[in-house]
Amino acid sequence: MKVLGLESSCDETGIAIYEVETGVIQQRLYSQIECHREYGGVVPELASRDHVVKAAPMIIDLLQQNGGVHSLDGIVYTRGPGLMGALMVGACIARALAWALDKPVLGVHHMEGHLLAPMLSEDKPEFPFVALLVSGGHTMLVDVEAVGEYKILGESLDDAVGEAFDKTAKLLGLPYPGGPELAQLASTVSATDLVFPRPMVDRPGLDFSFSGLKTFALNTMHKLTPLSDQNRAEIAFAFEQAVVDTLQIKCQRALKQTGYRRLVVAGGVGANRTLRKRLQQMSAKLQTRVYFPALEYCTDNGAMIAYAGGLRMAAGQRDENVTDVLPRWSLETLQRLN
Amino acid sequence: MKKLNILAIETSTEACSVAVLTHRGLLFSEFELTPRQHTQFLPRMMDAVLVQAGLFKKDLSHIAYASGPGAFTGVRIAASTAQGISIGLDIPLVAISTLAILAQHCYHIHHTERVMAALDARMGEAYVGNYQLNNTSGLLELDGEETLVRLNQLRLPEHYFLAGSGFMACREAGCLVAPENIVDADLLPHASALVQLAEHAIKQGKTLTADQIQINYIRNKVAEKKKVASL
């Protein structure tokens, strides 16, 4: 079974072709970061406008290089969660393509795409595992028993971790999206006297809260004003350490709670080097294993959607060609794949 | 060359309509008021017009869509659906202005040779275009430009019929000074007019490929640029 996958839930246009039997995957990715930079954040209407311009040339190019449109057995796309208008573009192209070809179509859960992205690596985790999903839109710990069998163990009560990175970076005067720039700035120092709180670690449970850290960063800046370059770097460092510590403590707690031996890290923040290093150290100590998707599959992408959708479609799942997008959609409502 | 069988999709307003014009000149259409549910109705409506016309999908030669102005998401529903069909069937697209469709439909319904078409653009504004009959083609053509106008600055040209939701907005804002018999504020664009305009455009060679998609939002300022925070 060969499927075309479309991802357009936020500010990345991702297109991929996945062949279920061979595991061969090809993808094209376009990031809209430049388009949103001067606004200091993703503007939903502009994101939608860009998807409708960028998706078709990528689809045409990918199909030309991979056997043409008639070699497809099905079309899958991100049905949610995400930005309504942005999702709609991918959904309409996918559904219309399926209609024109008389091929099956299936809407995929964006977060399931992220959860299963590590399966695209050579070294795949076995089920069950704990997944830490960390991106600009989400922060959650998920108990993954099997494909489609998900239980949310904890999630952010306010800002997503990537959002906290971006907002703090903005306070530091770093250009949008800021998160990776903040991490870069943090890497220029190796110690500081500044101590940031580790939110919610002294409470039981696996929920997160990151908006307080951003406020703490702001207050620290006010205290130190005028800020030297060294001050900025130390604030970035202290902030990143606080985030990474918090995530690691909760991951450890989730592994203990579930009794699982495997941790999978997915989402854009999964590319953060300090986080990767810290979780690897933790795993060595606990004698568990940690899996990261390849960097190209950390951010939003079409490959993870083609993969998750391809698995489900190969197992016989289909949507009627009348369904709508689901800007809000809980992972826990998904059907288990047997 | 394929025989001319055009499928047309219009979803720029609260209405959703689909039409097909066959190479024999037969026209079939479906029209529904489906606010915020266009995507649920479209595939069914496309199937329905093809069945009525006795056509298979592979018989289609062109896919036409209303390319705005209108509701942003609505306009993109037609455009991206047209892209998917274009790629799937390997056929060209035809983009037609929603205001032109509204004006042409007004001509069909009210036999008005001059139409000022206006769609409610919210925020006290309307998308406006003046259209006049071209006697050779039998179609209404744009006179001047399509623009975004503040409702209280709308200039009504003489001897024009007024069509579309823009005049409803004007009426509600208390700035419509026109006799009732030259206004149809409830008139909505219809794919039957779109498909006829598309046929003419195709004969003039005005077709696109899926990667050349054209949308005319008219309103292009949709967000404020922010100053970078500094401390």
Side-chain angles (χ1 to χ4, degrees), chain A residues 244-317:
Chain A
V244 167
D245 271 358
T246 307
L247 292 174
Q248 181 248 306
I249 291 165
K250 300 274 171 159
C251 284
Q252 190 166 337
R253 213 177 270 178
L255 287 168
K256 194 176 169 203
Q257 185 179 313
T258 55
Y260 296 166
R261 315 290 305 161
R262 286 172 289 268
L263 174 70
V264 162
V265 183
V269 182
N272 181 286
R273 288 212 186 92
T274 311
L275 177 66
R276 286 190 172 219
K277 204 170 141 194
R278 180 69 54 81
L279 293 178
Q280 257 148 1
Q281 287 166 347
M282 176 195 80
S283 285
K285 210 172 92 193
L286 299 176
Q287 294 187 306
T288 55
R289 275 204 65 185
V290 59
Y291 298 79
F292 300 97
L295 285 177
E296 60 182 322
Y297 302 137
C298 274
T299 54
D300 290 352
N301 65 83
M304 66 183 197
I305 299 303
Y307 177 77
L311 278 189
R312 287 187 173 276
M313 203 171 254
Q317 282 191 31

Side-chain angles (χ1 to χ4, degrees), chain B residues 59-187:
Chain B
D59 298 327
L60 293 172
S61 65
H62 294 81
I63 173 79
Y65 66 99
S67 59
F72 297 156
T73 298
V75 172
R76 277 190 297 270
I77 287 172
S80 51
T81 299
Q83 283 179 308
I85 293 172
S86 164
I87 295 170
L89 298 177
D90 193 22
I91 57 174
L93 300 114
V94 189
I96 302 288
S97 153
T98 309
L99 289 170
I101 298 164
L102 180 60
Q104 185 67 28
H105 186 52
C106 184
Y107 174 59
H108 292 161
I109 301 285
H110 298 293
H111 313 290
T112 48
E113 297 186 0
R114 290 190 193 84
V115 177
M116 184 183 205
L119 287 163
D120 185 0
R122 315 276 165 187
M123 297 190 278
E125 295 179 315
Y127 303 115
V128 182
N130 293 336
Y131 283 81
Q132 279 193 40
L133 182 67
N134 175 323
N135 283 308
T136 317
S137 65
L139 300 171
L140 269 65
E141 287 178 355
L142 180 63
D143 179 21
E145 279 186 304
E146 294 182 342
T147 51
L148 182 63
V149 183
R150 289 218 60 81
L151 294 177
N152 56 16
Q153 287 165 11
L154 200 61
R155 299 261 172 276
L156 303 179
E158 280 185 36
H159 312 299
Y160 270 71
F161 190 87
L162 312 178
S165 60
F167 297 106
M168 182 81 77
C170 265
R171 192 181 281 154
E172 282 163 8
C175 54
L176 181 64
V177 195
E180 283 297 317
N181 62 347
I182 64 152
V183 187
D184 185 351
D186 297 322
L187 195 70

Side-chain angles (χ1 to χ4, degrees), chain A residues 195-223:
Chain A
V195 181
F196 276 47
R198 272 59 175 158
M200 299 185 68
V201 296
D202 52 356
R203 275 192 255 169
L206 295 166
D207 286 334
F208 303 93
S209 165
F210 291 106
S211 69
L213 266 186
K214 171 194 67 194
T215 311
F216 193 89
L218 181 64
N219 291 338
T220 306
M221 284 176 219
H222 283 309
K223 263 183 234 159

Side-chain angles (χ1 to χ4, degrees), chain A residues 59-72:
Chain A
I59 294 170
I60 292 168
D61 172 54
L62 195 62
L63 286 171
Q64 267 171 2
Q65 313 278 323
N66 293 279
V69 76
H70 295 287
S71 71
L72 298 174

Side-chain angles (χ1 to χ4, degrees), chain B residues 12-28:
Chain B
S12 324
T13 67
E14 62 268 36
C16 175
S17 61
V18 173
V20 67
L21 181 65
T22 74
H23 67 281
R24 297 179 198 279
L26 298 174
L27 195 156
F28 303 90

Side-chain angles (χ1 to χ4, degrees), chain B residues 6-74:
Chain B
I6 311 161
L7 179 67
I9 306 170
E10 201 301 299
T11 56
S12 324
T13 67
E14 62 268 36
C16 175
S17 61
V18 173
V20 67
L21 181 65
T22 74
H23 67 281
R24 297 179 198 279
L26 298 174
L27 195 156
F28 303 90
S29 66
E30 291 275 317
F31 180 95
E32 300 265 1
L33 276 176
T34 57
R36 306 186 75 85
Q37 294 179 63
H38 295 340
T39 51
Q40 310 226 4
F41 285 78
L42 263 183
R44 255 181 268 165
M45 292 166 78
M46 296 191 298
D47 286 334
V49 290
L50 288 183
V51 168
Q52 289 162 28
L55 292 176
F56 293 108
K57 290 165 188 170
K58 64 171 172 49
D59 298 327
L60 293 172
S61 65
H62 294 81
I63 173 79
Y65 66 99
S67 59
F72 297 156
T73 298

Side-chain angles (χ1 to χ4, degrees), chain B residues 198-219:
Chain B
E199 183 191 29
H200 184 67
I202 292 164
K203 286 178 179 158
Q204 294 185 314
K206 291 178 185 165
T207 61
L208 307 166
T209 52
D211 55 352
Q212 297 170 323
I213 198 80
Q214 283 178 7
I215 295 179
N216 186 13
Y217 296 102
I218 301 189
R219 178 179 280 149

